[in-house]
Amino acid sequence: MNLLLCSLFREKKRRRVVELTEKMVVDGGSGRTCEWDGRWNHIKKFLERSGPFTHPDFEPSTESLQFMLETCKILVIGAGGLGCELLKDLALSGFRNIHVVDMDTIDVSNLNRQFLFRPTDVGRPKANVAADFVNNRIPGCCVVPHFKKIQDIDETFYRQFHIIVCGLDSIVARRWMNGMLLSLLVFEDGVLDPSSIIPLIDGGTEGFKGNARVILPGMTACIDCTLELYPPQINFPMCTIASMPRLPEHCIEYVRMLLWPKETPFGDGVVLDGDDPEHIQWVYQRSLERAADFNITGVTYRLTQGVVKRIIPAVASTNAVIAAACATEVFKIASSAYIPLNNYMVFNDVDGLYTYTFEAERKENCSACSQVPLDLHFSPSSKLQEMLDHLTESASLQMKSPALTATVEGKNKTLYLQSVASIEQRTRPNLSKTLKELGLSDGQELAVADATTPQTMLFRLCFTS
């Protein structure tokens, strides 16, 4: 499969490579040239000569370097711990046309590992600051920032890139990006058009553990094919939080979920802001008081901030390792010089050092990439709430706020929609109705929209006795 990936990308690249002079002298925008003798010698050693580890079909030439420097467009999603490392690695590897998307602003807590930022940058958009830093530091590189959510950008924007690299800390955002690239695929008579494929390189870290993977949308396992590999978000039972706390996290969640809306310490309608030190300090103090009442130790300011902001522990060295692996895969695919990762690499240095590579297999019934409706098995007497619970709790689906619609008696009917308050109120009674009472039948197709994907997913209802 990875041999095919290189062949497909090589053909794609040949179509887009333009005639360039052998000696490229480009103005970096500051009155100085961005090239000097020997600047790309280390890259040329990989691209202009063959070797025992090169791709079997690799043909050494100067075109690959020209493509990387002048034509190849890379999109980096995320400008945090992984994103900063990725931007640095890609820019120093010879990629000049880079875009970066990030919706966050810089917090003081970011400065210990997100090395493109300085204390004077606190409060500014991560994407903008990261782009400015790389552009000023690396002559000839042009990083274009986009300070917005990935969901706020249309498909025309994503279609322009050769490779997309994700350095995200959100499974929902990963799945949405995965769905976007799947929606860009073109099928002719049921056959996938290879030129519509945009490779996705995904990296993730948690403390001293991380992973890197290469995804060829429509051909290899996608994010949703391996959803079971991602740990579910930990949610504590409300009864435990309110009545029988045993952990410091229970005390913090009690203050966050129950005391904050009840006492409104900063005024009515003020939402708890995890980046506001005064808010965190208030939660911290009240959490200490509750912990003392139940003889619980371990509540700290850092833990309070982590629980409130759902912070994933980060280690700079792990980010560096995973970003380097992802950047290497980008180089291999863009140059077609080496066989890419096939297709999932895990890294762990909690105790010693351990890496392992395996091929994640594509699921034939994947709800995202299989192109066929997924069967939902319920009895006619099952409540719609049971179906909703299945969509959110199933390890292979893990939806966040699914909206269900179906065609009933020739008309499109919204069964339940949570994101719009007026429609949620109108459709809420449906949750307690049986599937039969809602007019649904065996073999009925259901359309489900969710925040985890830009696509509407199709399911087929299969009645059980």
Side-chain angles (χ1 to χ4, degrees):
M1 189 64 72
N2 47 22
L3 291 174
L4 180 59
L5 169 59
C6 282
S7 300
L8 292 174
F9 202 82
R10 185 184 300 108
E11 180 60 30
K12 228 173 155 182
K13 181 176 67 177
R14 283 172 179 165
R15 295 178 189 176
R16 304 194 189 191
V17 170
V18 295
E19 291 292 333
L20 299 171
T21 57
E22 286 194 9
K23 185 174 181 180
M24 294 167 290
V25 180
V26 181
D27 193 331
S30 58
R32 54 176 179 151
T33 60
C34 66
E35 302 295 353
W36 53 88
D37 289 341
R39 180 177 184 185
W40 303 114
N41 283 351
H42 60 299
I43 299 295
K44 290 180 180 179
K45 291 177 181 177
F46 292 100
L47 303 180
E48 297 182 7
R49 64 184 187 183
S50 60
F53 302 109
T54 55
H55 190 285
D57 299 328
F58 175 63
E59 299 175 1
S61 70
T62 60
E63 281 190 351
S64 292
L65 180 59
Q66 293 172 1
F67 173 75
M68 287 173 52
L69 293 175
E70 304 301 330
T71 307
C72 189
K73 295 186 74 172
I74 307 294
L75 174 62
V76 176
I77 307 291
L82 267 178
C84 286
E85 293 280 355
L86 282 167
L87 289 171
K88 175 260 294 180
D89 290 346
L90 292 170
L92 290 175
S93 295
F95 296 98
R96 287 173 166 166
N97 300 311
I98 305 173
H99 288 239
V100 57
V101 178
D102 196 292
M103 60 173 284
D104 288 338
T105 56
I106 299 166
D107 181 67
V108 174
S109 62
N110 302 147
L111 301 181
N112 70 331
R113 63 194 180 282
Q114 298 173 24
F115 60 92
L116 299 183
F117 310 140
R118 300 293 180 266
T120 53
D121 297 322
V122 171
R124 295 182 59 199
K126 288 184 177 181
N128 295 2
V129 176
D132 289 344
F133 190 103
V134 175
N135 291 338
N136 292 331
R137 187 66 177 267
I138 304 177
C141 188
C142 179
V143 180
V144 180
H146 303 273
F147 175 45
K148 55 182 64 178
K149 296 180 180 179
I150 56 174
Q151 294 88 343
D152 293 338
I153 311 176
D154 61 24
E155 65 177 37
T156 304
F157 172 79
Y158 294 109
R159 201 183 297 274
Q160 67 180 301
F161 296 100
H162 294 86
I163 303 172
I164 294 179
V165 195
C166 283
L168 294 163
D169 59 2
S170 165
I171 297 174
V172 173
R174 278 189 178 89
R175 296 178 66 187
W176 192 94
M177 197 66 244
N178 177 72
M180 171 56 72
L181 295 186
L182 289 171
S183 72
L184 298 181
L185 297 177
V186 176
F187 293 86
E188 298 179 1
D189 298 326
V191 179
L192 176 62
D193 179 4
S195 65
S196 65
I197 298 173
I198 301 176
L200 173 66
I201 315 298
D202 179 63
T205 65
E206 182 176 350
F208 290 98
K209 297 178 288 186
N211 69 273
R213 64 187 301 184
V214 175
I215 297 171
L216 190 59
M219 296 186 68
T220 63
C222 74
I223 296 289
D224 280 43
C225 285
T226 56
L227 203 55
E228 294 92 339
L229 295 177
Y230 295 100
Q233 182 172 310
I234 298 175
N235 293 306
F236 302 110
M238 183 60 70
C239 58
T240 300
I241 294 172
S243 305
M244 298 175 292
R246 299 183 301 276
L247 302 173
E249 290 86 352
H250 293 164
C251 302
I252 299 168
E253 284 287 79
Y254 174 83
V255 176
R256 182 184 73 86
M257 298 178 66
L258 300 177
L259 282 193
W260 181 275
K262 179 182 178 180
E263 299 188 8
T264 60
F266 293 86
D268 292 337
V270 177
V271 179
L272 176 57
D273 184 357
D275 292 319
D276 189 322
E278 293 185 1
H279 288 196
I280 296 297
Q281 184 64 32
W282 186 88
V283 175
Y284 169 54
Q285 291 297 334
R286 298 308 300 270
S287 300
L288 280 176
E289 295 171 8
R290 182 162 179 80
D293 292 340
F294 289 88
N295 296 319
I296 296 173
T297 60
V299 174
T300 64
Y301 183 91
R302 185 181 182 87
L303 178 64
T304 302
Q305 189 177 43
V307 172
V308 171
K309 296 181 66 175
R310 303 293 189 191
I311 290 175
I312 298 173
V315 176
S317 57
T318 309
N319 287 334
V321 170
I322 298 303
C326 291
T328 300
E329 295 308 313
V330 174
F331 178 85
K332 287 154 68 175
I333 294 174
S335 66
S336 302
Y338 297 88
I339 300 175
L341 174 70
N342 186 29
N343 53 29
Y344 201 114
M345 184 272 287
V346 294
F347 170 83
N348 190 333
D349 62 345
V350 173
D351 185 11
L353 179 61
Y354 171 79
T355 61
Y356 176 67
T357 302
F358 67 95
E359 181 180 1
E361 296 184 359
R362 187 179 178 188
K363 287 176 62 176
E364 293 183 359
N365 63 341
C366 174
S367 60
C369 71
S370 65
Q371 301 295 311
V372 295
L374 191 65
D375 290 343
L376 290 176
H377 298 274
F378 288 94
S379 70
S381 60
S382 298
K383 301 282 199 303
L384 184 64
Q385 180 67 61
E386 296 177 48
M387 181 182 293
L388 196 73
D389 292 341
H390 172 74
L391 294 174
T392 56
E393 296 173 5
S394 169
S396 61
L397 295 173
Q398 295 185 36
M399 295 185 182
K400 297 303 175 183
S401 54
L404 292 82
T405 59
T407 300
V408 180
E409 297 179 351
K411 296 182 180 180
N412 191 45
K413 180 180 180 180
T414 299
L415 302 176
Y416 184 70
L417 192 150
Q418 184 177 350
S419 57
V420 180
S422 59
I423 301 179
E424 195 282 332
Q425 185 176 8
R426 178 169 57 84
T427 58
R428 191 185 306 161
N430 290 342
L431 295 176
S432 58
K433 294 181 180 180
T434 67
L435 303 183
K436 185 176 182 179
E437 290 173 339
L438 292 170
L440 301 180
S441 58
D442 187 39
Q444 174 99 48
E445 279 200 351
L446 301 174
V448 181
D450 190 60
T452 57
T453 176
Q455 301 185 95
T456 297
M457 291 172 284
L458 293 179
F459 293 84
R460 182 172 55 242
L461 181 60
C462 298
F463 278 161
T464 58
S465 56

